Structures are given as C-alpha cells and as structure tokens.
C-alpha cells in the first residue's frame, strides 16, 4: 500500500481534531462522523472539492473551539404525506379542500388578532 498524500493526512488530522473539539458538545461527534461518511465516496481526483470541504471543516473547527457553540445539529426537512405522494407544494404547507395551500400552523393554537384590537 502506498503512503498517504499530504492532503489525505490533513483530512485525517482534521477529522481527529473535530472529534476532540466536539467531545463536550451534544451532537457534535455524531454530526462530524455523518459529514465525513457522506463525503467519503468522493473520488481522489476531485481535489478542488476535497480542498473546499477541508477549508469548510477548518472553519467549523474554529467555531467549535471558540466556545460559542453549545450544541450541533442539522436541519432536517420532515417528510409529510404531501411530500411522499409527490406534490409540488412547499414544505410546511398542505392543501385545503379548495386546492389552495394552507399554512400548517393554522389550528395549532395560534390566535389571530381581532379587528377590535383584542
């Protein structure tokens, strides 16, 4: 087996540093592992993308080390019945009986302002 390139060593070093920096932060280790697994299938010849992801990881490492990060998470779009059926409506909306989009927040206890100001 050949020796790892300089870029490979830098990426592995970044991975270890991110895991160490994220030890005390809830969700950080799992997020770091998921991010690296997601990009593990990149071809070795795609050096520009690897370098971009490396720089992005360095910036995230600086944020983790700064102490301002209290937790790490991801934004996940919930899959509703409208999305599974292939509708082209925006997330968080559903169609009412007339076919017009209806906000999913309606009916969840949100009050509308009365016209008399109460």
């Amino acid at each position: 087996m050949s020796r790892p390139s300089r870029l490979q060593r830098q990426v592995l070093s970044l991975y270890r540093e991110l895991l160490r920096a994220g030890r005390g932060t809830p969700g950080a280790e799992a997020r770091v592992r998921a991010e690296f697994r997601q990009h593990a299938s990149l071809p070795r010849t795609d050096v520009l993308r690897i370098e971009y992801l490396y720089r992005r990881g360095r910036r995230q490492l600086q944020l983790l080390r700064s102490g301002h990060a209290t937790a790490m998470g991801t934004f996940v779009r919930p899959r509703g019945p409208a999305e599974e059926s292939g509708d082209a409506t925006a997330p968080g909306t559903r169609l009412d009986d007339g076919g017009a989009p209806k906000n999913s927040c309606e009916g969840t206890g949100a009050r509308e302002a009365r016209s008399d100001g109460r």
Side-chain angles (χ1 to χ4, degrees):
M1 187 170 153
S2 64
R3 288 181 14 187
S5 69
R6 180 175 176 217
L7 185 57
Q8 286 174 324
R9 288 190 309 244
Q10 288 176 328
V11 169
L12 289 173
S13 172
L14 174 66
Y15 179 69
R16 284 191 306 266
E17 290 178 45
L18 280 167
L19 286 177
R20 285 184 190 129
R23 268 193 195 135
T25 308
E29 287 184 43
R31 179 70 186 133
V32 168
R33 285 190 176 104
E35 186 82 17
F36 273 82
R37 278 193 194 113
Q38 178 184 357
H39 298 293
S41 62
L42 281 174
R44 292 181 183 191
T45 56
D46 197 356
V47 176
L48 288 176
R49 179 175 281 177
I50 294 170
E51 288 177 344
Y52 162 74
L53 291 169
Y54 176 76
R55 288 190 303 272
R56 194 176 113 199
R58 278 279 163 203
R59 287 192 298 269
Q60 290 176 348
L61 178 62
Q62 287 176 350
L63 286 174
L64 270 176
R65 285 184 174 165
S66 71
H68 296 293
T70 56
M72 262 179 102
T74 60
F75 292 107
V76 179
R77 177 190 284 183
R79 294 198 56 126
E83 289 182 31
E84 291 173 0
S85 65
D87 284 344
T89 59
T93 60
R94 62 178 190 259
L95 296 177
D96 64 357
D97 293 336
K102 182 177 179 181
N103 191 351
S104 64
C105 294
E106 292 177 11
T108 58
R111 296 182 184 175
E112 294 182 19
R114 293 182 179 178
S115 61
D116 61 355
R118 288 193 237 171

